[in-house]
Amino acid sequence: MSQENEYVPPKVWKWEKASGGQFANINRPIAGPTHDKALPVGKHPFQLYSLATPNGVKVTIMFEELLARGHKDAEYDAWLIRIGEGEQFGSGFVEVNPNSKIPALMDHGTTPPTRVFESGSILLYLAEKFGEFLPRDHAWRTETLNWLFWQMGSAPYLGGGFGHFYAYAPTKIEYAIDRFAMEAKRQLDVLDRRLAESRYLGGDEYTIADIANWAWYGQLALDRVYDAGEFLQVQEYEHVQRWAREIDARPAVQRGRMVNRTFGPQETQLHERHDASDFENNTQDKR
């Protein structure tokens, strides 16, 4: 970029124009609701308000895995929140998650009902409530939580960094793409080295650390995120590939991917989920 066209930040930033890009219509520098809209409530104690982004998929996979292990009390209603249309800024949603991000969960099985927001918090809440997918042994529990929180801290650089500038920004900026591609590959290497020494991230058991990381990095390795598989040469990470394929083959993961999904072949979309029978007329996406 030539010096004469270089952007010089003002002393005080002001919101004077749209940011541009795919999500410009919903980006704003203030929190809180933009309109009044109550959230629907179904028949089960757990009410999930979400969309099948990587963060949303974490929670629907968790619910389906709990149900697969026989926890009938994990039945849930999943309601679609169309973030591109700003539904996360409705007053009802903001009451559940003041950060206006999916997923958001209400547990009406407690008195008073418990709100749970942020995907990592929801996974931990459900793991502790049902005693599943989180080791009881202190050392293995700690290792699992290490990798759960690693994902929380790392994925913003993959999504908001690499994904934004590579796939969504209105202009392609070489510096930004190079910077975050480097970081995305570094993160894949971190996972690859861990998975070279361990079947799963927390150890020998499949845990919430795997669910959280697979939603982002497993799907990236399977070339389902940002259409960037070739660009990042994801096939080079052989241990991540092994782990990603193994988890992808789990029936509960295949079901979880479908819930609140609005893209892909029609038969792989389940916009709302209120009962296990909702899957009967759908087939799994085998991409």
Side-chain angles (χ1 to χ4, degrees):
M1 182 180 292
S2 64
Q3 189 69 29
E4 61 185 276
N5 293 324
E6 184 176 354
Y7 171 66
V8 178
K11 290 184 177 180
V12 178
W13 183 85
K14 294 181 180 180
W15 185 31
E16 297 178 333
K17 61 182 179 179
S19 60
Q22 184 170 338
F23 300 105
N25 64 317
I26 60 171
N27 289 336
R28 60 196 184 112
I30 54 176
T34 60
H35 59 282
D36 290 328
K37 184 177 181 181
L39 291 173
V41 178
K43 61 184 179 181
H44 300 111
F46 291 112
Q47 299 293 302
L48 177 66
Y49 306 96
S50 193
L51 181 70
T53 65
N55 284 333
V57 160
K58 296 174 195 175
V59 179
T60 50
I61 288 174
M62 181 64 170
F63 272 119
E64 294 301 326
E65 292 282 14
L66 289 168
L67 290 167
R69 288 201 175 178
H71 292 282
K72 295 181 180 179
D73 291 346
E75 276 290 356
Y76 66 106
D77 291 281
W79 304 93
L80 178 63
I81 300 296
R82 297 180 185 272
I83 61 175
E85 298 175 16
E87 293 181 352
Q88 70 275 32
F89 299 116
S91 57
F93 190 93
V94 175
E95 287 179 7
V96 181
N97 185 356
N99 196 37
S100 292
K101 303 289 184 181
I102 61 93
L105 177 70
M106 285 298 299
D107 181 359
H108 292 275
T110 65
T111 304
T114 302
R115 74 176 186 183
V116 197
F117 60 90
E118 295 298 324
S119 58
S121 180
I122 296 173
L123 290 179
L124 186 56
Y125 180 83
L126 294 174
E128 292 183 332
K129 189 175 184 96
F130 289 97
E132 297 280 9
F133 304 110
L134 182 61
R136 296 181 182 179
D137 175 83
H138 175 73
W140 292 120
R141 175 187 170 90
T142 301
E143 187 67 9
T144 295
L145 294 178
N146 288 341
W147 289 103
L148 174 67
F149 290 110
W150 179 87
Q151 187 274 308
M152 302 303 148
S154 297
Y157 293 98
L158 172 60
F162 173 75
H164 175 76
F165 287 106
Y166 182 77
Y168 301 135
T171 58
K172 302 298 183 187
I173 303 171
E174 182 179 6
Y175 170 79
I177 292 174
D178 283 351
R179 169 67 181 84
F180 289 111
M182 181 186 301
E183 176 61 11
K185 289 183 71 66
R186 189 194 69 83
Q187 292 176 7
L188 284 168
D189 194 42
V190 169
L191 289 174
D192 204 58
R193 290 167 185 265
R194 170 57 179 164
L195 292 167
E197 62 187 18
S198 179
R199 180 179 178 184
Y200 296 113
L201 290 171
D204 293 333
E205 296 181 29
Y206 172 68
T207 69
I208 54 175
D210 299 292
I211 293 172
N213 279 278
W214 183 88
W216 281 100
Y217 298 97
Q219 295 203 96
L220 178 67
L222 296 170
D223 201 13
R224 294 176 182 159
V225 179
Y226 307 126
D227 231 359
E230 182 179 7
F231 182 76
L232 295 175
Q233 291 292 282
V234 295
Q235 75 278 0
E236 294 179 352
Y237 304 95
E238 61 175 304
H239 304 292
V240 173
Q241 288 288 332
R242 182 267 306 164
W243 168 83
R245 290 192 297 269
E246 180 177 345
I247 293 174
D248 190 52
R250 297 176 69 93
V253 172
Q254 295 175 10
R255 290 192 299 272
R257 283 189 63 222
M258 294 172 61
V259 180
N260 296 146
R261 191 175 186 191
T262 60
F263 54 91
Q266 190 66 39
E267 66 272 14
T268 69
Q269 300 180 26
L270 190 63
H271 292 186
E272 293 183 1
R273 190 261 193 222
H274 305 291
D275 192 85
S277 62
D278 292 339
F279 293 105
E280 291 177 358
N281 295 324
N282 296 76
T283 59
Q284 305 304 320
D285 184 2
K286 299 298 185 181
R287 288 184 304 166

